[in-house]
Amino acid sequence: MKKLLGLLAGTALAANVAFADDSTLTIAYNVSLPSWDATVGVSAVNPTIQSIYKSVYDQYIDQNPDLSFRPGLLTEWGWNEDRSKVFMEVREGASWHNGDPVTPADVVWSLERAGKEETGNPIQFLWSTLGNFTVDGNRIEADVLRFDPTIFKWMAFLTAYVLPKDYYTEVGAEGFEKAPIGSGPYMVDEYVANSFVRLKRYDEYWGGAPEFETVIFKFLPDASARVAEVETGASDITLEIPYEEYDRLAAKDGLNGVTTPVSDIGMIFINDVGVMEDANVRKAAAHAINKDLIVDRLLRGYGVPIDTLQAPEYAAFTAETTVAYDPEMSKELLAASGYSPDNPVKFKIQTTRGFKPKDYEMIQAVAGMWKRVGIEAEIEVYEIAKHFDLRARDALAPAAFYNWGNSIGDPSTSTGFSMFGPSPHSTWDTDDVDAMIGPLWGEEDEDARIAGYQKVDAYIAENAMVIPLLQFVQPIIYRDGLSVTPHVANFLLPQNVSSN
Amino acid sequence: MARLLVTIGSIFLTLLGVSVVIFVILRLVPGDPISMMLPPGATDEVRANLERLYGLDKSIPAQYVIWLRNVAWLDFGMSTQFRLPVMEIILDRLPATLELVLLASLIALVLAFAFSILAVWLQVDSATLAIDGLAGLAQAIPDFLWALIFILAVTLFAPMMPISGRFDPRTAQDFATNFYLLESLVTFRFDAFAELMRYAVLPALALSLPLAAGITRVLKGALEEAMAQDYVMLAQTKGKSRLAIVLGEALRNAMIPTIALTSVQLTFLIGGTVLIERQFSWPGIGSTAISAVINRDLPLIQGIVLVFALIFILINLASNELYRAADPRLRTER
């Protein structure tokens, strides 16, 4: 038996030594990349895929790990005095992976293409707010056809990637899918759909060649497989694993862990139908939830309780707006509407199961807390596609759990789109909230815009029109000898990983 | 000739029926691809534009007619998720699945035949009990759970065994076809074959165990029944060994129910690739199917379902022919 164990240990060690290769970084990644066009289709708006896109392509504007903005392929940007024009300065010295220089023509073509309806860019409504582009040297100017104060923030967000005009035009959409090139720190070397992508360092990258010569993203949607990959040394790093496994692996010799709160929150959408039109019911539901307890007990402390749709890293966050945990107040509010634990108010709550960490368990806990004050919630599990469909048709249940990502941290892309009635993503449709949010879409004064959203958030919290629960925390496990800088935008970027 | 024409006609009719059912169901269940790709801030106009671009603005019958017309020319449409022609995606990934299924079937058959013959040959209660117990265990645990068990076992006992992909992602592959295992065999590249097998063995084993158990139970029962027949007694009086009788006399008759079961189970095996491929990141049609469903990639789901249906039909036809070959009575009935 001892011999057998010794043999096994020896084999394990040999295997780990075999996998160790300082020039290669292998990432056990949680999602698969279906398409290489980062500007069109389902993948383009999938936040979890952006890490791979950001390794291969450059965005117009980039973000630091704390969400602050920094130059990407644009080095300067802004509006003129009366906001009728924008200007953008294109970086010199950037080149495509085929060696051709990145030019202002590439940037203009990418923006114009994104703004055309026939291209199918899901953010076309925003990109089409710019038009009549002119180029002078490296400076681009464009007319503001419709003013949007967040246009430059969006240039660091979904679909905001610069693609090579000449190459794309030459090879076409299908040709580009098969042999994509970008101007980012890594080049695509081999891609096997649903299995892996192997990237090679781009030595001519304008930001300096990244450390690892080869980066492999293995697509492993199964969390147990990702855990096994890092534990056996087959992968150097992984993310999005259960917190129990994170704690176990982080304590293990040869492995390290880092966690960071990310731009993704868990919330309960409230639909203004039936009993939810009663403010007492909504407020009672909000005050009855002990978010600290949920984070501590269910998420092992990996979460940040929140009371508005703004996480602490977001532009409109303020610690002044809070919703107290007060079950006695919940009972009083319900009593005022004729409800009690013996005569509970009843409604349905929908939730995903296994899509986010402990999502179903969280809603079970919430239902338990509600029951104590006089709310009887019937839990219904739905899948992601159904959630999107119901949300778009404004047909969600009176309460529905889901998550909301916002990697640019702007209040328009959190409170704005999720609470403004005409938005297809809003389940709350009332004139009072719409009247508050409406003018902020075109507000030119940034300070006033942010302050306006803070006021809206306070109003929404006071009237419990949505129940924000927590900010999610991203767990990352990596092997000894590596140093990882986590990104609040939920990215795991190989260019942010280095050897010690 | 007439039989061939009837067979081809029934294949087309079945596929047509399957296509109608899947087309309608996909459009009636909640969750459409446009909702999946709408970002925060998308307006109703954006939605309408995307629906128009993907042809979802027309009525379901109109969509079906357009789709069917294109399918007649082998154009299954573009995948909304992969942004490539559906047929190209299917042809690219089907070989990986077929190789996995073939390997799993081989493993299942080898295990089933070995254990069944062993049990009937030995006639020892303890061995029979052990084989029945193992078969029961293998059948009671579904394939995806076997996959999890293997992944856990690798972590604990065999970290050198790969648990993801079809080959080492650090190495470049230079195969002319996507049938890597078969190609490496026929081109005598046994080192490449061995390396590929290292990646294939765990998913194939996970897929094969429940199938092996099912075949073992039926084959063993059929062998035991055959061994009680008069012709076996006759063979015994001729002085043949028990093993020779099992292999030479009983096995042929025991094959008939085994073929019937194997063909049915094989279709389940192909269905099982959906989860197994996802768990082991095996780049086949199964993992593609599951991501197509998650992302509501309607053209790709339709294409994959039709291909699966065609494979099921072909397996049934093949099993019928095998059945006829194994049972002389069926050959002389017409």
Side-chain angles (χ1 to χ4, degrees):
Chain A
M1 189 63 188
K2 271 185 182 175
K3 269 188 177 178
L4 179 66
L5 286 174
L7 189 68
L8 286 171
T11 322
L13 186 65
N16 284 323
V17 169
F19 284 124
D21 173 4
D22 287 346
S23 65
T24 300
L25 180 73
T26 304
I27 302 171
Y29 204 60
N30 57 327
V31 285
S32 179
L33 176 95
S35 164
W36 281 105
D37 191 333
T39 67
V40 184
V42 188
S43 320
V45 291
N46 183 349
T48 53
I49 294 174
Q50 306 301 314
S51 297
I52 302 174
Y53 286 152
K54 285 178 76 76
S55 304
V56 175
Y57 306 114
D58 276 316
Q59 295 198 273
Y60 303 96
I61 295 169
D62 200 3
Q63 275 180 293
N64 290 305
D66 65 355
L67 297 191
S68 60
F69 296 93
R70 68 181 183 195
L73 276 181
L74 300 182
T75 53
E76 288 176 55
W77 56 87
W79 287 276
N80 66 352
E81 191 86 351
D82 65 0
R83 311 271 166 157
S84 61
K85 279 184 178 294
V86 294
F87 67 90
M88 295 166 273
E89 198 75 25
V90 179
R91 179 179 295 281
E92 278 193 55
S95 60
W96 299 109
H97 295 155
N98 64 359
D100 291 347
V102 176
T103 65
D106 291 312
V107 175
V108 170
W109 177 78
S110 296
L111 283 169
E112 284 184 328
R113 178 174 173 266
K116 287 178 187 165
E117 281 190 357
E118 61 270 26
T119 310
N121 184 309
I123 320 286
Q124 177 269 336
F125 65 93
L126 185 101
W127 304 123
S128 61
T129 62
L130 300 178
N132 306 321
F133 292 86
T134 57
V135 175
D136 181 11
N138 274 5
R139 186 180 173 89
I140 299 168
E141 287 193 358
D143 289 344
V144 174
L145 306 179
R146 295 187 307 279
F147 177 71
D148 189 310
T150 62
I151 183 79
F152 291 115
K153 289 186 177 181
W154 272 93
M155 287 194 180
F157 201 17
L158 302 171
T159 78
Y161 294 91
V162 185
L163 299 185
K165 177 190 171 192
D166 291 342
Y167 179 77
Y168 194 102
T169 311
E170 183 190 330
V171 300
E174 280 184 49
F176 191 80
E177 285 293 344
K178 290 169 187 166
I181 64 166
S183 60
Y186 286 98
M187 304 182 287
V188 179
D189 187 38
E190 183 167 11
Y191 164 65
V192 179
N194 293 335
S195 190
F196 73 89
V197 58
R198 185 173 65 233
L199 307 176
K200 287 287 178 193
R201 177 169 63 200
Y202 183 46
D203 290 325
E204 307 305 318
Y205 183 55
W206 58 263
E211 180 173 333
F212 296 99
E213 194 180 318
T214 305
V215 169
I216 295 166
F217 282 92
K218 288 184 181 176
F219 305 140
L220 294 153
D222 192 286
S224 57
R226 293 198 297 280
V227 168
E229 280 276 322
V230 282
E231 209 166 0
T232 58
S235 289
D236 301 305
I237 183 167
T238 193
L239 73 167
E240 293 294 334
I241 57 174
Y243 296 122
E244 294 84 353
E245 291 287 18
Y246 172 81
D247 283 341
R248 183 177 70 80
L249 294 177
K252 207 172 171 185
D253 282 346
L255 292 174
N256 304 285
V258 60
T259 58
T260 190
V262 291
S263 56
D264 193 13
I265 64 166
M267 61 195 274
I268 297 175
F269 284 93
I270 301 289
N271 202 350
D272 51 325
V273 292
V275 292
M276 288 306 186
E277 289 182 303
D278 183 342
N280 286 336
V281 172
R282 298 194 310 268
K283 290 179 189 176
H287 287 293
I289 300 173
N290 187 342
K291 298 168 191 171
D292 290 319
L293 193 70
I294 289 174
V295 168
D296 286 345
R297 297 280 172 85
L298 282 176
L299 301 176
R300 300 169 79 94
Y302 297 115
V304 180
I306 51 171
D307 293 321
T308 68
L309 297 177
Q310 315 304 328
E313 294 79 5
Y314 295 0
F317 174 78
T318 168
E320 287 170 21
T321 303
T322 57
V323 177
Y325 166 58
D326 191 343
E328 291 309 314
M329 187 197 288
S330 295
K331 286 180 185 169
E332 287 167 20
L333 287 162
L334 288 171
S337 289
Y339 302 112
S340 69
D342 295 329
N343 177 34
V345 57
K346 297 177 183 177
F347 56 81
K348 184 186 281 184
I349 181 166
Q350 293 166 320
T351 178
T352 51
R353 187 171 193 167
F355 176 61
K356 299 300 292 181
K358 306 282 185 199
D359 44 7
Y360 180 71
E361 291 80 359
M362 275 196 273
I363 294 309
Q364 275 187 315
V366 166
M369 292 170 188
W370 281 349
K371 192 167 187 176
R372 283 198 282 272
V373 299
I375 297 172
E376 192 175 307
E378 177 200 346
I379 301 175
E380 178 192 301
V381 175
Y382 57 9
E383 56 163 332
I384 310 159
K386 187 175 176 185
H387 167 85
F388 277 111
D389 189 40
L390 294 176
R391 199 167 86 190
R393 291 193 286 114
D394 195 14
L396 285 171
F401 174 83
Y402 203 67
N403 71 309
W404 190 280
N406 181 16
S407 67
I408 54 173
D410 192 79
S412 66
T413 38
S414 53
T415 301
F417 290 133
S418 64
M419 299 302 295
F420 186 57
S423 161
H425 296 283
S426 169
T427 51
W428 186 265
D429 310 285
T430 55
D431 292 341
D432 51 349
V433 176
D434 291 353
M436 292 177 83
I437 295 176
L440 299 175
W441 294 116
E443 176 59 60
E444 293 183 13
D445 184 327
E446 184 66 1
D447 291 339
R449 193 174 71 88
I450 298 299
Y453 272 112
Q454 287 174 334
K455 203 172 152 191
V456 177
D457 282 333
Y459 181 76
I460 288 170
E462 191 186 327
N463 291 285
M465 294 158 168
V466 66
I467 305 178
L469 291 178
L470 61 117
Q471 180 186 19
F472 288 108
V473 164
Q474 185 198 56
I476 299 175
I477 288 287
Y478 55 98
R479 68 164 169 80
D480 268 352
L482 292 179
S483 172
V484 179
T485 306
H487 202 298
V488 175
N490 216 355
F491 302 140
L492 177 52
L493 301 174
Q495 51 268 41
N496 285 357
V497 181
S498 59
S499 300
N500 284 333
Chain B
M1 186 64 186
R3 190 167 150 248
L4 181 69
L5 286 175
V6 169
T7 305
I8 292 171
S10 69
I11 291 176
F12 272 107
L13 278 178
T14 309
L15 290 177
L16 195 68
V18 169
S19 73
V20 172
V21 171
I22 190 67
F23 201 93
V24 173
I25 285 177
L26 282 177
R27 278 151 185 81
L28 291 183
V29 294
D32 70 281
I34 305 301
S35 297
M36 295 288 289
M37 67 176 76
L38 283 179
T43 58
D44 290 339
E45 289 74 38
V46 173
R47 184 184 181 86
N49 177 47
L50 289 172
E51 280 178 347
R52 197 167 51 248
L53 274 174
Y54 289 97
L56 295 169
D57 57 332
K58 298 179 176 64
S59 68
I60 293 178
Q63 287 180 46
Y64 181 72
V65 169
I66 293 169
W67 178 77
L68 199 62
R69 202 170 50 209
N70 292 335
V71 166
W73 296 99
L74 292 180
D75 176 4
F76 286 73
M78 292 285 283
S79 157
T80 55
Q81 183 193 184
F82 294 97
R83 298 179 50 73
L84 288 171
V86 165
M87 191 40 78
E88 190 178 321
I89 294 169
I90 291 174
L91 292 178
D92 184 56
R93 300 178 196 174
L94 193 58
T97 299
L98 291 180
E99 283 198 334
L100 185 64
V101 168
L102 190 66
L103 187 62
S105 308
L106 280 175
I107 294 173
L109 287 171
V110 167
L111 290 175
F113 274 76
F115 281 118
S116 305
I117 291 168
L118 196 69
V120 177
W121 173 43
L122 291 177
Q123 264 188 311
V124 178
D125 285 350
S126 56
T128 307
L129 206 63
I131 288 169
D132 284 346
L134 281 174
L137 184 72
Q139 205 166 21
I141 298 176
D143 49 15
F144 66 88
L145 204 54
W146 277 119
L148 279 177
I149 291 168
F150 289 147
I151 288 171
L152 183 67
V154 162
T155 311
L156 291 173
F157 304 116
M160 78 297 281
M161 282 297 289
I163 53 162
S164 70
R166 203 178 171 197
F167 56 85
D168 186 344
R170 291 169 300 183
T171 59
Q173 302 299 312
D174 57 350
F175 291 104
T177 69
N178 281 348
F179 288 97
Y180 294 167
L181 275 171
L182 291 175
E183 189 180 330
S184 62
L185 263 186
V186 297
T187 54
F188 305 113
R189 292 164 59 186
F190 298 118
D191 52 341
F193 178 77
E195 176 65 7
L196 290 166
M197 279 297 287
R198 242 168 38 87
Y199 282 81
V201 70
L202 286 182
L205 202 57
L207 262 180
S208 69
L209 286 183
L211 175 63
I215 300 174
T216 303
R217 280 170 175 271
V218 171
L219 183 59
K220 187 170 143 288
L223 279 172
E224 282 167 349
E225 198 179 316
M227 289 300 282
Q229 301 297 314
D230 292 342
Y231 63 86
V232 170
M233 302 238 210
L234 187 66
Q236 280 170 338
T237 57
K238 286 180 183 172
K240 283 191 176 179
S241 72
R242 186 169 175 82
L243 183 61
I245 295 169
V246 171
L247 294 175
E249 307 288 340
L251 190 59
R252 186 177 174 81
N253 285 323
M255 287 292 283
I256 297 167
T258 311
I259 289 168
L261 175 89
T262 306
S263 63
V264 173
Q265 291 292 321
L266 212 56
T267 54
F268 287 118
L269 190 79
I270 292 170
T273 60
V274 171
L275 283 179
I276 295 296
E277 287 187 359
R278 185 173 164 86
Q279 285 173 296
F280 287 99
S281 296
W282 188 264
I285 205 77
S287 57
T288 306
I290 208 162
S291 65
V293 170
I294 290 171
N295 290 291
R296 291 294 190 273
D297 190 341
L298 305 186
L300 189 53
I301 299 171
Q302 288 155 199
I304 290 173
V305 168
L306 274 190
V307 167
F308 273 17
L310 183 63
I311 291 172
F312 291 173
I313 293 169
L314 293 178
I315 287 173
N316 280 330
L317 285 174
S319 74
N320 283 347
E321 291 307 311
L322 273 174
Y323 211 82
R324 288 163 61 84
D327 190 344
R329 289 168 299 179
L330 292 176
R331 272 176 282 166
T332 54
E333 270 171 9
R334 294 201 178 205

